[in-house]
């Protein structure tokens, strides 16, 4: 699976990059919404894990723009209050994860399993 990680918090971006890489995924990273849109259009990843609050736009806006380019699995990640994150995820129709309290390995496992299940259904 190729995954695009989008977060303007560079240590967090590196943490998730390492975790997904260690599980054999090809990982692309973007530190802004604009960079994510450019990379998404060029690379067409299978999944996107996007921070809710980016320096240049809200993660849900970036996801909406990417969806118009081509299909993928989208996920939100945030340190925002759970009610804020859950509301944003529900409006965008995506699954979400809290940065605090949800181990990185759980995020990787959930996204990987979802991807494998989608492939099994298609094939």
């Amino acid at each position: 699976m190729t995954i695009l990680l989008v977060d303007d918090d560079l240590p967090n971006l590196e943490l998730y990059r390492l975790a997904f890489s260690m599980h054999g995924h090809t990982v692309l990273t973007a530190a802004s919404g604009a960079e994510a849109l450019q990379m998404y259009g060029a690379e067409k990843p299978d999944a996107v894990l996007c921070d809710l609050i980016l320096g240049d736009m809200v993660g849900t806006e970036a996801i909406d723009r990417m969806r118009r380019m081509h299909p993928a699995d989208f996920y939100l990640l945030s340190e925002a209050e759970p009610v804020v994150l859950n509301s944003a995820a529900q409006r965008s129709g995506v699954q979400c994860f809290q940065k605090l309290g949800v181990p990185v390995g759980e995020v990787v496992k959930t996204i990987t399993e979802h991807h494998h299940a989608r492939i099994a259904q298609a094939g």
Side-chain angles (χ1 to χ4, degrees):
M1 170 176 72
T2 299
I3 186 162
L4 171 59
L5 305 175
V6 186
D7 199 330
D8 57 347
D9 178 346
L10 297 183
N12 196 58
L13 194 62
E14 181 63 9
L15 173 68
Y16 281 87
R17 186 194 68 75
L18 287 171
F20 278 96
S21 294
M22 286 174 47
H23 285 84
H25 301 294
T26 300
V27 180
L28 309 168
T29 61
S32 70
E35 185 181 356
L37 293 170
Q38 180 182 5
M39 188 166 295
Y40 185 83
E43 301 293 332
K44 297 176 178 53
D46 302 301
V48 177
L49 179 60
C50 187
D51 188 26
L52 179 60
I53 307 298
L54 300 168
D56 60 345
M57 69 180 72
V58 179
T60 54
E61 178 185 351
I63 287 171
D64 289 343
R65 289 183 185 186
M66 286 184 252
R67 273 193 176 128
R68 287 185 227 132
M69 292 183 210
H70 73 86
D73 294 326
F74 295 97
Y75 305 89
L76 279 173
L77 180 72
S78 183
E79 291 177 358
E81 290 293 321
V83 68
V84 173
L85 176 59
N86 291 334
S87 176
Q90 189 173 32
R91 283 192 311 274
S92 290
V94 300
Q95 186 172 352
C96 61
F97 302 97
Q98 284 289 142
K99 284 183 185 176
L100 305 174
V102 177
V104 174
E106 294 261 333
V107 174
V108 174
K109 179 182 175 192
T110 300
I111 292 174
T112 301
E113 288 174 354
H114 182 256
H115 178 71
H116 289 156
R118 192 169 55 78
I119 298 235
Q121 282 181 335

